[in-house]
Amino acid sequence: MPSHASQAQRLQVLLDLNILDTAPDECFDRITRMAARLFQVPMAFVSLVDADRLWFKSRVGFPYAEAPSARSFCAHAIRQDEVLVVCDAAADEHFATSPYVRGYPHVRFYAGQPLAVDGVYIGTLCLVDSVAREFGDEERALLRDLASMVANEVAAGALREAERRLRCSEASLRALLDHLPDSVLLLDAEGAVVSCNPAAEHLFGQEAAALAGRQAAALLGLAAGALAPAGGAAAARIESVLARGDGNVSVEAALSTLEIDGRPHLLASIRDVSAQRAALEASRAAEQRRRDFFRSATHELRTPMTSILGFSDLLIKRDFDPATGRELLGIVHKQSTRLVAVINQMLDLARIEAGDAEELNRSRVVPEAMLAAALAAAVPPGRSADIAVDAAPSLPPVLGNEERLRQALGNLVANALQFSAPGQRVDIGLAPAQRDGRAGLALHVRDRGIGMTPAQQAQMFDAFYRAGEQPGHEGAGLGLALVREILAAHGGAIEVASRPGAGTSVTLWLPAAAEQA
Amino acid sequence: MSKRILVVDDQADLRLLIRLSLRALGQVEQAASAEEALCLIGAAPPDLVVLDVWLGQGQNGMDLCRTLRAGPLTSKLPIVLLSANGQSSDIAAGLAAGADDYIVKPFSPDTLAATAARLLAR
């Protein structure tokens, strides 16, 4: 027998049913229509008692969807277990003064059977007439049966509502899994795949149906049994590398054990960490390059210093014949010159890389004048006959740091001369050139010297890289590194074509002045 | 009998400096590369090798040092490494490669001569 629950319990049941203020429903309307006809009453209701109102899920002969619950018959009816029958409300001491009796709809007769849901009375199936009438036992029994039908419909609705919520919650769980960037595998006690999400299908390149039943350890390239919760405690985190057709994929899997239907299962959440690994590798490589740079710089600075200090020490402490003494002083001078050159180049590199204000000083540079100045500085007197210049007419001026551009071109020419024998011609060409649709200036330097292997070409612009020691030319390997930095600072480009024995051709491209804002 | 010292360095100026620094201690021979050094040592092991770590062309004096230590005739050969890199990790690596001493550039001719004399006297 349902209890006369507190108002709070009733309101909670109504809330859970999600029934208040819903649309009319034919399955309830059918019953109220039937009740009105069977009992020959003008009004019949499926009435739900809310906090301070009656809300009618179904109604016959009454125009309003709700009415105040205060002093209502229904609010009274749900406080008892039996049908509430008031044969003549005008003569009833409790209801005679009710506004429902004194005013519209002028109730004289009321019969209401409480509706029990989850053991709580939530409202009534009730009959109302504006004339007094009798209500016998048979009629009461009939009303009770009809009320049971209403209660069944409410219960069925509740079930549908629960199912809808379950579907909703399943759909949101599914959406969560479907859109998770991580791959999720549910494994049974033997480590076989039970189900997975689309990310897992993508990771393993197979559909869920094909993955089901497969051993997850094999899929992940792990030892058999590594992912079977039945085989003992699995590690909480696992790293592995998947060999896929499109390359290796580094993955990390987080594992958690759980029970489903009393059987141990394992949930593996797998993340593709290839990008992080690659970034780590790149940062290690950058660190290695910095270390190599530092070691090279140390070598290039301390080696000439060794000669300078060592020979001057010998000259101070020992006696040499004048010719030998001069020779040793010559070495000291040569190494000092070399040291100064290395220091200057390192400072230049640092300045250009840092992009300080002076480096960003731009002016219109006339190519022909820049070339003439570069050649004057870079070509030793004995080699000027080896230089052949071919400049196209009306070259576009470029916007840049003239001193740096001269330095870049000079370094290239000096390099070309260094790697070709005296008498071998070095061609220099200047011509307007388009690059990616932008107007600009191309400067070619082509030698017929020893050339470079592809491996040497790959390194030629690295700081301190030297293709080979050339007698009499002991540069620190910074000349081309400077060329690269200068071109980068000017938004230019460098192209190299070379073959061992066939010489080297380097083309510098600079955007024309008009192209730059 | 005069001691024989082999200088292995890719730079002619440094070979000359070392030769002048050590000539009072014996006969100084020169090699400009690891191959040349192995050739000379194979023909007749010297009494001391002064070996630059940086041999150019991608060659490393430490590799040569390890090669010599692995050979039965040169496993006890006194070796001094010269290097511009003077951090403790660099020195430790040089000694781990089997060098008897490690001298950081720049060095004074007297320091080099004193080290060489000590190793030759062993």
Side-chain angles (χ1 to χ4, degrees), chain A residues 262-494:
Chain A
R263 288 174 55 74
H265 282 68
L266 196 67
L267 195 71
S269 174
I270 303 156
R271 180 166 294 184
D272 181 346
V273 291
S274 304
Q276 286 110 294
R277 293 283 158 85
L280 194 67
E281 281 302 307
S283 93
R284 281 197 190 128
E287 175 59 30
Q288 183 61 42
R289 274 199 302 280
R290 268 195 298 280
R291 251 203 307 273
D292 289 348
F293 181 91
F294 188 75
R295 294 185 79 83
S296 298
T298 306
H299 174 77
E300 294 301 336
L301 292 172
R302 285 196 171 150
T303 299
M305 196 62 99
T306 307
S307 284
I308 294 163
L309 288 174
F311 284 113
S312 55
D313 189 281
L314 289 177
L315 282 163
I316 291 165
K317 290 181 184 160
R318 300 189 195 175
D319 292 324
F320 294 95
D321 62 80
T324 308
R326 246 195 312 280
E327 188 198 335
L328 300 189
L329 271 174
I331 293 175
V332 170
H333 184 262
K334 180 183 76 183
Q335 294 292 352
S336 304
T337 310
R338 178 180 168 178
L339 185 59
V340 169
V342 172
I343 290 170
N344 286 343
Q345 284 184 316
M346 286 178 68
L347 291 175
D348 282 349
L349 257 187
R351 239 180 245 132
I352 297 166
E353 278 173 352
D356 73 21
E358 210 164 300
E359 290 303 326
L360 298 172
N361 234 340
R362 298 283 185 263
S363 61
R364 280 171 81 85
V365 177
V366 177
E368 294 87 341
M370 191 240 310
L371 174 65
L375 292 181
V379 180
R383 301 291 297 273
S384 55
D386 297 338
I387 302 286
V389 176
D390 176 20
S394 66
L395 292 166
V398 296
L399 202 61
N401 182 317
E402 175 154 19
E403 192 190 333
R404 289 294 180 223
L405 292 178
R406 209 162 55 208
Q407 190 179 11
L409 191 54
N411 284 358
L412 272 190
V413 173
N415 229 57
L417 288 171
Q418 183 184 336
F419 291 102
S420 33
Q424 277 183 323
R425 204 172 79 221
V426 170
D427 287 311
I428 298 169
L430 279 78
Q434 293 261 329
R435 189 180 171 88
D436 300 331
R438 297 164 70 204
L441 172 73
L443 305 110
H444 312 274
V445 177
R446 185 179 162 223
D447 67 55
R448 290 161 178 75
I450 57 175
M452 285 182 293
T453 63
Q456 288 173 319
Q457 290 175 51
Q459 287 178 278
M460 65 187 281
F461 292 104
D462 291 351
F464 298 117
Y465 177 76
R466 277 180 294 212
E469 299 295 338
Q470 295 291 300
H473 293 279
E474 295 187 323
L478 289 172
L480 291 183
L482 272 166
V483 173
R484 182 182 61 184
E485 291 301 325
I486 291 167
L487 267 286
H490 283 80
I494 307 175

Side-chain angles (χ1 to χ4, degrees), chain A residues 164-183:
Chain A
R164 190 189 63 80
R165 285 190 191 178
L166 192 64
R167 271 199 307 278
C168 253
S169 120
E170 263 181 10
S172 56
L173 269 180
R174 196 69 238 173
L176 208 69
L177 280 176
D178 283 356
H179 295 97
L180 201 63
D182 289 358
S183 304

Side-chain angles (χ1 to χ4, degrees), chain B residues 51-53 60-67 81 90 93-94 97 102:
Chain B
L51 178 54
D52 197 342
V53 168
N60 190 321
M62 289 208 204
D63 293 335
L64 179 56
C65 187
R66 276 187 283 269
T67 304
L81 280 177
D90 300 317
Y102 187 105

Side-chain angles (χ1 to χ4, degrees), chain A residues 224-254:
Chain A
L227 293 176
R237 279 201 98 73
I238 283 181
E239 289 184 15
S240 188
V241 177
L242 308 183
R244 259 190 349 199
D246 55 351
N248 285 353
V249 181
S250 299
V251 294
E252 266 178 27

Side-chain angles (χ1 to χ4, degrees), chain A residues 66 82 138 147 153 225 258 357 414 420 425 460 498 516:
Chain A
E66 60 179 61
E82 266 306 298
E138 217 159 289
E153 289 297 342
L258 65 159
S420 33
R425 204 172 79 221
M460 65 187 281
S498 182
Q516 293 175 341

Side-chain angles (χ1 to χ4, degrees), chain A residues 53-244:
Chain A
R53 62 170 180 162
L54 306 177
W55 183 80
F56 307 121
K57 178 63 195 172
S58 178
R59 57 201 147 90
V60 169
F62 189 75
Y64 308 113
E66 60 179 61
S69 64
R71 308 212 52 201
S72 69
F73 292 84
C74 291
H76 193 76
I78 61 168
R79 286 203 286 271
Q80 57 183 58
D81 294 320
E82 266 306 298
V83 59
L84 168 69
V85 176
V86 179
C87 293
D88 185 358
D92 189 283
E93 59 171 311
H94 188 78
F95 289 108
T97 55
S98 161
Y100 289 103
V101 177
R102 294 187 131 181
Y104 180 82
H106 303 291
V107 176
R108 293 293 293 277
F109 167 76
Y110 175 91
Q113 171 65 40
L115 298 169
V117 172
D118 290 344
V120 173
Y121 291 130
I122 57 165
T124 65
L125 171 65
C126 61
L127 312 168
V128 171
D129 203 341
S130 49
V131 295
R133 54 186 287 173
E134 292 302 312
F135 203 64
D137 286 347
E138 217 159 289
E139 289 163 310
R140 287 171 193 247
L142 191 56
L143 182 62
R144 214 163 22 239
D145 287 347
L146 288 175
S148 302
M149 287 167 65
V150 172
N152 283 345
E153 289 297 342
V154 172
L159 202 61
R160 281 195 300 274
E161 173 67 13
E163 274 172 359
R164 190 189 63 80
R165 285 190 191 178
L166 192 64
R167 271 199 307 278
C168 253
S169 120
E170 263 181 10
S172 56
L173 269 180
R174 196 69 238 173
L176 208 69
L177 280 176
D178 283 356
H179 295 97
L180 201 63
D182 289 358
S183 304
V184 178
L185 296 179
L186 179 66
L187 312 179
D188 66 14
E190 282 72 46
V193 175
V194 175
S195 62
C196 68
N197 68 343
E201 293 179 306
H202 181 77
L203 179 66
F204 296 111
Q206 295 184 49
E207 301 214 335
L211 288 171
R214 299 274 305 274
Q215 279 293 319
L219 287 172
L220 283 165
L222 300 167
L227 293 176
R237 279 201 98 73
I238 283 181
E239 289 184 15
S240 188
V241 177
L242 308 183
R244 259 190 349 199

